[in-house]
């Protein structure tokens, strides 16, 4: 495939990178004009389908603020400006239904799909190289999660997606994760206390945004598995649809969220359920603000 990399503003020339994604997700650069080894390492680490910021400073995953829509591309859609198309390779180790869910969410977050737009199932099957079965499974899940709505004999459509929807979504996420954190504070087992210590060390020593976000995800997953029953876990998974892990791997994530995680861990350690809940609410509120700021700056909201 070809990735078009704009190295500067003001009509600067566009570089072309020929990239081959391997079956296991590896990346081989055939020809790289003005692309650094750091760029290649970033793309390899993040994998196919990750949203990047392409700028004079390099290729970066999920960005924040002051970025025009022209700079924002998914790997599978970077050819659109040149009128090209891209068939994504099969992604191993990920359910096909989840690939479709991620694809539709990404199209909404990038502004390719907006409120009321109809989901083109045929296009998705061709773009992802999948059958219609996982596409239908993904649509059913996203309808259940409130992201899509279906109309009898008419298809599936994007449900209301605006600033209020994003705030509500993150508010629910904060409430649900707050329940788990409060339970942990009420009964912090020795295994969880050890996990808190390990997570805190990782948060503080993370070498980059990717490592920090992976540590946050592992921390949250462990708490959910320990203190959330099947129904609560299902509700949390549903609420994570618009909180995709890759969205938060931006350069400032450690500064934005590290202190809040420390507040939550401290509350759990001293057995303060209410403070643990409040930390989760605070984190979710900040997540909503960051997402709204980015989507407004990129023209997805307010258009």
């Amino acid at each position: 495939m070809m990735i078009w990399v704009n190295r500067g503003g003001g009509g600067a020339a566009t570089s072309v990178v020929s990239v081959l994604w391997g079956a296991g997700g590896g990346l081989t650069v055939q020809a790289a004009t003005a692309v650094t080894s750091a760029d290649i390492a970033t793309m390899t680490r993040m994998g196919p389908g990750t949203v990047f910021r392409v700028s004079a400073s390099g290729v970066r995953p999920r960005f924040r603020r002051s970025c025009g829509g022209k700079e924002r591309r998914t790997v599978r859609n970077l050819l659109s400006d040149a009128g090209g198309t891209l068939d994504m390779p099969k992604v191993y180790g990920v359910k096909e239904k989840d690939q479709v869910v991620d694809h539709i969410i990404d199209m909404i977050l990038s502004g390719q799909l907006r409120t009321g737009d109809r989901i083109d199932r045929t296009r998705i099957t061709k773009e992802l190289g999948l059958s219609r079965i996982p596409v239908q499974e993904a649509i059913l899940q996203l309808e259940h999660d409130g992201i899509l709505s279906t109309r009898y004999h008419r298809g599936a459509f994007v449900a209301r997606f605006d600033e209020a929807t994003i705030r509500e979504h993150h508010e629910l996420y904060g409430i649900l994760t707050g329940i788990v954190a409060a339970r942990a504070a009420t009964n912090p087992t020795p295994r969880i206390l050890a996990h808190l210590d390990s997570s805190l060390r990782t948060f503080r020593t993370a070498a980059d945004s990717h490592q920090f976000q992976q540590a946050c995800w592992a921390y949250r997953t462990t708490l959910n598995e320990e203190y959330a029953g099947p129904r609560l876990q299902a509700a949390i998974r549903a609420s994570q649809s618009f909180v995709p892990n890759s969205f938060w791997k931006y350069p400032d994530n450690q500064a934005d969220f590290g202190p809040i995680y420390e507040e939550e861990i401290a509350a759990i350690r001293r057995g303060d359920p209410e403070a643990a809940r409040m930390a989760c609410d605070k984190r979710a509120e900040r997540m909503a603000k960051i997402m709204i700021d980015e989507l407004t700056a990129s023209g997805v909201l307010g258009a």
Side-chain angles (χ1 to χ4, degrees), residues 41-64:
T42 297
M43 289 188 286
T44 303
R45 185 174 67 247
M46 303 305 292
T50 302
V51 174
F52 294 98
R53 177 184 182 180
V54 182
S55 68
S57 61
V59 178
R60 297 291 181 269
R62 275 291 184 189
F63 60 94
R64 295 176 54 193

PDB file of all heavy atoms in Angstrom, residues 41-64:
ATOM      1  N   ALA A  41       9.095   3.014  13.287  1.00  0.00           N
ATOM      2  CA  ALA A  41       8.915   2.320  14.559  1.00  0.00           C
ATOM      3  C   ALA A  41       7.528   2.601  15.132  1.00  0.00           C
ATOM      4  O   ALA A  41       6.862   1.702  15.666  1.00  0.00           O
ATOM      5  CB  ALA A  41       9.996   2.757  15.550  1.00  0.00           C
ATOM      6  N   THR A  42       7.077   3.841  15.011  1.00  0.00           N
ATOM      7  CA  THR A  42       5.752   4.209  15.513  1.00  0.00           C
ATOM      8  C   THR A  42       4.662   3.453  14.782  1.00  0.00           C
ATOM      9  O   THR A  42       3.772   2.868  15.393  1.00  0.00           O
ATOM     10  CB  THR A  42       5.519   5.722  15.358  1.00  0.00           C
ATOM     11  OG1 THR A  42       6.464   6.431  16.156  1.00  0.00           O
ATOM     12  CG2 THR A  42       4.109   6.111  15.789  1.00  0.00           C
ATOM     13  N   MET A  43       4.732   3.426  13.447  1.00  0.00           N
ATOM     14  CA  MET A  43       3.708   2.745  12.670  1.00  0.00           C
ATOM     15  C   MET A  43       3.706   1.245  12.949  1.00  0.00           C
ATOM     16  O   MET A  43       2.657   0.619  13.021  1.00  0.00           O
ATOM     17  CB  MET A  43       3.919   3.022  11.186  1.00  0.00           C
ATOM     18  CG  MET A  43       3.598   4.452  10.773  1.00  0.00           C
ATOM     19  SD  MET A  43       3.628   4.706   8.977  1.00  0.00           S
ATOM     20  CE  MET A  43       5.399   4.680   8.663  1.00  0.00           C
ATOM     21  N   THR A  44       4.890   0.675  13.108  1.00  0.00           N
ATOM     22  CA  THR A  44       4.982  -0.750  13.387  1.00  0.00           C
ATOM     23  C   THR A  44       4.354  -1.082  14.733  1.00  0.00           C
ATOM     24  O   THR A  44       3.599  -2.044  14.870  1.00  0.00           O
ATOM     25  CB  THR A  44       6.458  -1.200  13.388  1.00  0.00           C
ATOM     26  OG1 THR A  44       7.044  -0.861  12.141  1.00  0.00           O
ATOM     27  CG2 THR A  44       6.573  -2.701  13.613  1.00  0.00           C
ATOM     28  N   ARG A  45       4.668  -0.259  15.736  1.00  0.00           N
ATOM     29  CA  ARG A  45       4.178  -0.514  17.094  1.00  0.00           C
ATOM     30  C   ARG A  45       2.659  -0.381  17.174  1.00  0.00           C
ATOM     31  O   ARG A  45       1.981  -1.177  17.809  1.00  0.00           O
ATOM     32  CB  ARG A  45       4.834   0.448  18.072  1.00  0.00           C
ATOM     33  CG  ARG A  45       4.464   0.158  19.536  1.00  0.00           C
ATOM     34  CD  ARG A  45       5.251   1.036  20.488  1.00  0.00           C
ATOM     35  NE  ARG A  45       4.893   2.431  20.368  1.00  0.00           N
ATOM     36  CZ  ARG A  45       5.687   3.391  19.920  1.00  0.00           C
ATOM     37  NH1 ARG A  45       6.920   3.089  19.533  1.00  0.00           N
ATOM     38  NH2 ARG A  45       5.291   4.650  19.844  1.00  0.00           N
ATOM     39  N   MET A  46       2.105   0.626  16.502  1.00  0.00           N
ATOM     40  CA  MET A  46       0.687   0.890  16.624  1.00  0.00           C
ATOM     41  C   MET A  46      -0.156  -0.033  15.753  1.00  0.00           C
ATOM     42  O   MET A  46      -1.291  -0.340  16.087  1.00  0.00           O
ATOM     43  CB  MET A  46       0.392   2.343  16.248  1.00  0.00           C
ATOM     44  CG  MET A  46       1.173   3.355  17.067  1.00  0.00           C
ATOM     45  SD  MET A  46       0.941   3.137  18.842  1.00  0.00           S
ATOM     46  CE  MET A  46      -0.770   3.598  18.996  1.00  0.00           C
ATOM     47  N   GLY A  47       0.393  -0.480  14.609  1.00  0.00           N
ATOM     48  CA  GLY A  47      -0.301  -1.459  13.796  1.00  0.00           C
ATOM     49  C   GLY A  47      -1.303  -0.867  12.826  1.00  0.00           C
ATOM     50  O   GLY A  47      -1.610   0.315  12.863  1.00  0.00           O
ATOM     51  N   PRO A  48      -1.838  -1.712  11.931  1.00  0.00           N
ATOM     52  CA  PRO A  48      -2.795  -1.259  10.929  1.00  0.00           C
ATOM     53  C   PRO A  48      -4.061  -0.698  11.560  1.00  0.00           C
ATOM     54  O   PRO A  48      -4.524  -1.195  12.578  1.00  0.00           O
ATOM     55  CB  PRO A  48      -3.108  -2.536  10.129  1.00  0.00           C
ATOM     56  CG  PRO A  48      -1.988  -3.464  10.432  1.00  0.00           C
ATOM     57  CD  PRO A  48      -1.543  -3.145  11.818  1.00  0.00           C
ATOM     58  N   GLY A  49      -4.615   0.335  10.937  1.00  0.00           N
ATOM     59  CA  GLY A  49      -5.882   0.882  11.387  1.00  0.00           C
ATOM     60  C   GLY A  49      -5.764   1.940  12.454  1.00  0.00           C
ATOM     61  O   GLY A  49      -6.737   2.575  12.825  1.00  0.00           O
ATOM     62  N   THR A  50      -4.567   2.174  12.993  1.00  0.00           N
ATOM     63  CA  THR A  50      -4.387   3.205  14.009  1.00  0.00           C
ATOM     64  C   THR A  50      -4.499   4.578  13.373  1.00  0.00           C
ATOM     65  O   THR A  50      -4.063   4.791  12.256  1.00  0.00           O
ATOM     66  CB  THR A  50      -3.005   3.066  14.676  1.00  0.00           C
ATOM     67  OG1 THR A  50      -2.907   1.773  15.233  1.00  0.00           O
ATOM     68  CG2 THR A  50      -2.812   4.094  15.770  1.00  0.00           C
ATOM     69  N   VAL A  51      -5.075   5.516  14.106  1.00  0.00           N
ATOM     70  CA  VAL A  51      -5.169   6.882  13.611  1.00  0.00           C
ATOM     71  C   VAL A  51      -3.875   7.611  13.923  1.00  0.00           C
ATOM     72  O   VAL A  51      -3.395   7.601  15.051  1.00  0.00           O
ATOM     73  CB  VAL A  51      -6.352   7.612  14.274  1.00  0.00           C
ATOM     74  CG1 VAL A  51      -6.377   9.077  13.869  1.00  0.00           C
ATOM     75  CG2 VAL A  51      -7.645   6.948  13.876  1.00  0.00           C
ATOM     76  N   PHE A  52      -3.299   8.247  12.906  1.00  0.00           N
ATOM     77  CA  PHE A  52      -2.039   8.956  13.065  1.00  0.00           C
ATOM     78  C   PHE A  52      -2.216  10.452  12.819  1.00  0.00           C
ATOM     79  O   PHE A  52      -3.110  10.875  12.116  1.00  0.00           O
ATOM     80  CB  PHE A  52      -1.002   8.444  12.054  1.00  0.00           C
ATOM     81  CG  PHE A  52      -0.579   7.027  12.260  1.00  0.00           C
ATOM     82  CD1 PHE A  52      -1.155   6.017  11.517  1.00  0.00           C
ATOM     83  CD2 PHE A  52       0.383   6.693  13.192  1.00  0.00           C
ATOM     84  CE1 PHE A  52      -0.773   4.702  11.696  1.00  0.00           C
ATOM     85  CE2 PHE A  52       0.776   5.387  13.376  1.00  0.00           C
ATOM     86  CZ  PHE A  52       0.189   4.387  12.627  1.00  0.00           C
ATOM     87  N   ARG A  53      -1.339  11.229  13.384  1.00  0.00           N
ATOM     88  CA  ARG A  53      -1.169  12.611  12.982  1.00  0.00           C
ATOM     89  C   ARG A  53       0.079  12.663  12.107  1.00  0.00           C
ATOM     90  O   ARG A  53       1.139  12.197  12.499  1.00  0.00           O
ATOM     91  CB  ARG A  53      -0.978  13.527  14.187  1.00  0.00           C
ATOM     92  CG  ARG A  53      -0.726  14.979  13.766  1.00  0.00           C
ATOM     93  CD  ARG A  53      -0.445  15.853  14.968  1.00  0.00           C
ATOM     94  NE  ARG A  53      -0.250  17.233  14.565  1.00  0.00           N
ATOM     95  CZ  ARG A  53       0.022  18.222  15.411  1.00  0.00           C
ATOM     96  NH1 ARG A  53       0.128  17.963  16.688  1.00  0.00           N
ATOM     97  NH2 ARG A  53       0.178  19.449  14.987  1.00  0.00           N
ATOM     98  N   VAL A  54      -0.058  13.233  10.934  1.00  0.00           N
ATOM     99  CA  VAL A  54       1.052  13.349  10.017  1.00  0.00           C
ATOM    100  C   VAL A  54       1.441  14.814   9.946  1.00  0.00           C
ATOM    101  O   VAL A  54       0.660  15.655   9.540  1.00  0.00           O
ATOM    102  CB  VAL A  54       0.673  12.840   8.613  1.00  0.00           C
ATOM    103  CG1 VAL A  54       1.853  12.930   7.669  1.00  0.00           C
ATOM    104  CG2 VAL A  54       0.181  11.404   8.698  1.00  0.00           C
ATOM    105  N   SER A  55       2.648  15.147  10.376  1.00  0.00           N
ATOM    106  CA  SER A  55       3.066  16.543  10.424  1.00  0.00           C
ATOM    107  C   SER A  55       4.563  16.636  10.188  1.00  0.00           C
ATOM    108  O   SER A  55       5.244  15.631  10.013  1.00  0.00           O
ATOM    109  CB  SER A  55       2.720  17.155  11.784  1.00  0.00           C
ATOM    110  OG  SER A  55       3.517  16.581  12.799  1.00  0.00           O
ATOM    111  N   ALA A  56       5.062  17.858  10.212  1.00  0.00           N
ATOM    112  CA  ALA A  56       6.483  18.068   9.978  1.00  0.00           C
ATOM    113  C   ALA A  56       7.339  17.404  11.042  1.00  0.00           C
ATOM    114  O   ALA A  56       8.504  17.098  10.814  1.00  0.00           O
ATOM    115  CB  ALA A  56       6.781  19.563   9.923  1.00  0.00           C
ATOM    116  N   SER A  57       6.774  17.179  12.218  1.00  0.00           N
ATOM    117  CA  SER A  57       7.544  16.573  13.309  1.00  0.00           C
ATOM    118  C   SER A  57       7.547  15.057  13.262  1.00  0.00           C
ATOM    119  O   SER A  57       8.242  14.411  14.040  1.00  0.00           O
ATOM    120  CB  SER A  57       6.988  17.042  14.662  1.00  0.00           C
ATOM    121  OG  SER A  57       5.643  16.651  14.803  1.00  0.00           O
ATOM    122  N   GLY A  58       6.771  14.483  12.351  1.00  0.00           N
ATOM    123  CA  GLY A  58       6.789  13.028  12.223  1.00  0.00           C
ATOM    124  C   GLY A  58       5.411  12.410  12.255  1.00  0.00           C
ATOM    125  O   GLY A  58       4.392  13.096  12.321  1.00  0.00           O
ATOM    126  N   VAL A  59       5.358  11.102  12.194  1.00  0.00           N
ATOM    127  CA  VAL A  59       4.109  10.362  12.260  1.00  0.00           C
ATOM    128  C   VAL A  59       3.838  10.021  13.712  1.00  0.00           C
ATOM    129  O   VAL A  59       4.675   9.425  14.377  1.00  0.00           O
ATOM    130  CB  VAL A  59       4.208   9.066  11.424  1.00  0.00           C
ATOM    131  CG1 VAL A  59       2.918   8.258  11.537  1.00  0.00           C
ATOM    132  CG2 VAL A  59       4.492   9.409   9.971  1.00  0.00           C
ATOM    133  N   ARG A  60       2.679  10.399  14.207  1.00  0.00           N
ATOM    134  CA  ARG A  60       2.341  10.158  15.606  1.00  0.00           C
ATOM    135  C   ARG A  60       0.944   9.571  15.712  1.00  0.00           C
ATOM    136  O   ARG A  60       0.061   9.942  14.949  1.00  0.00           O
ATOM    137  CB  ARG A  60       2.392  11.476  16.403  1.00  0.00           C
ATOM    138  CG  ARG A  60       3.777  12.097  16.444  1.00  0.00           C
ATOM    139  CD  ARG A  60       4.740  11.262  17.274  1.00  0.00           C
ATOM    140  NE  ARG A  60       6.058  11.874  17.336  1.00  0.00           N
ATOM    141  CZ  ARG A  60       7.025  11.630  16.494  1.00  0.00           C
ATOM    142  NH1 ARG A  60       6.837  10.776  15.505  1.00  0.00           N
ATOM    143  NH2 ARG A  60       8.201  12.219  16.617  1.00  0.00           N
ATOM    144  N   PRO A  61       0.726   8.681  16.681  1.00  0.00           N
ATOM    145  CA  PRO A  61      -0.629   8.155  16.877  1.00  0.00           C
ATOM    146  C   PRO A  61      -1.519   9.210  17.504  1.00  0.00           C
ATOM    147  O   PRO A  61      -1.032  10.140  18.148  1.00  0.00           O
ATOM    148  CB  PRO A  61      -0.404   6.985  17.834  1.00  0.00           C
ATOM    149  CG  PRO A  61       0.841   7.336  18.567  1.00  0.00           C
ATOM    150  CD  PRO A  61       1.701   8.084  17.585  1.00  0.00           C
ATOM    151  N   ARG A  62      -2.803   9.106  17.297  1.00  0.00           N
ATOM    152  CA  ARG A  62      -3.845   9.940  17.869  1.00  0.00           C
ATOM    153  C   ARG A  62      -3.361  11.263  18.452  1.00  0.00           C
ATOM    154  O   ARG A  62      -2.649  11.296  19.441  1.00  0.00           O
ATOM    155  CB  ARG A  62      -4.570   9.194  18.976  1.00  0.00           C
ATOM    156  CG  ARG A  62      -5.694   8.315  18.472  1.00  0.00           C
ATOM    157  CD  ARG A  62      -6.838   9.083  17.950  1.00  0.00           C
ATOM    158  NE  ARG A  62      -7.874   8.117  17.590  1.00  0.00           N
ATOM    159  CZ  ARG A  62      -8.954   8.401  16.946  1.00  0.00           C
ATOM    160  NH1 ARG A  62      -9.166   9.619  16.550  1.00  0.00           N
ATOM    161  NH2 ARG A  62      -9.831   7.470  16.666  1.00  0.00           N
ATOM    162  N   PHE A  63      -3.785  12.303  17.888  1.00  0.00           N
ATOM    163  CA  PHE A  63      -3.278  13.596  18.287  1.00  0.00           C
ATOM    164  C   PHE A  63      -4.325  14.404  19.014  1.00  0.00           C
ATOM    165  O   PHE A  63      -5.467  14.004  19.144  1.00  0.00           O
ATOM    166  CB  PHE A  63      -2.817  14.359  17.046  1.00  0.00           C
ATOM    167  CG  PHE A  63      -3.928  14.582  16.064  1.00  0.00           C
ATOM    168  CD1 PHE A  63      -4.664  15.739  16.064  1.00  0.00           C
ATOM    169  CD2 PHE A  63      -4.237  13.594  15.155  1.00  0.00           C
ATOM    170  CE1 PHE A  63      -5.702  15.919  15.176  1.00  0.00           C
ATOM    171  CE2 PHE A  63      -5.272  13.774  14.267  1.00  0.00           C
ATOM    172  CZ  PHE A  63      -6.005  14.937  14.278  1.00  0.00           C
ATOM    173  N   ARG A  64      -3.927  15.583  19.456  1.00  0.00           N
ATOM    174  CA  ARG A  64      -4.819  16.495  20.151  1.00  0.00           C
ATOM    175  C   ARG A  64      -4.700  17.888  19.561  1.00  0.00           C
ATOM    176  O   ARG A  64      -3.654  18.338  19.174  1.00  0.00           O
ATOM    177  CB  ARG A  64      -4.445  16.608  21.631  1.00  0.00           C
ATOM    178  CG  ARG A  64      -4.605  15.365  22.432  1.00  0.00           C
ATOM    179  CD  ARG A  64      -4.115  15.611  23.835  1.00  0.00           C
ATOM    180  NE  ARG A  64      -4.786  16.769  24.404  1.00  0.00           N
ATOM    181  CZ  ARG A  64      -4.379  17.365  25.506  1.00  0.00           C
ATOM    182  NH1 ARG A  64      -3.329  16.941  26.132  1.00  0.00           N
ATOM    183  NH2 ARG A  64      -5.027  18.411  25.975  1.00  0.00           N
TER     184      ARG A  64
END
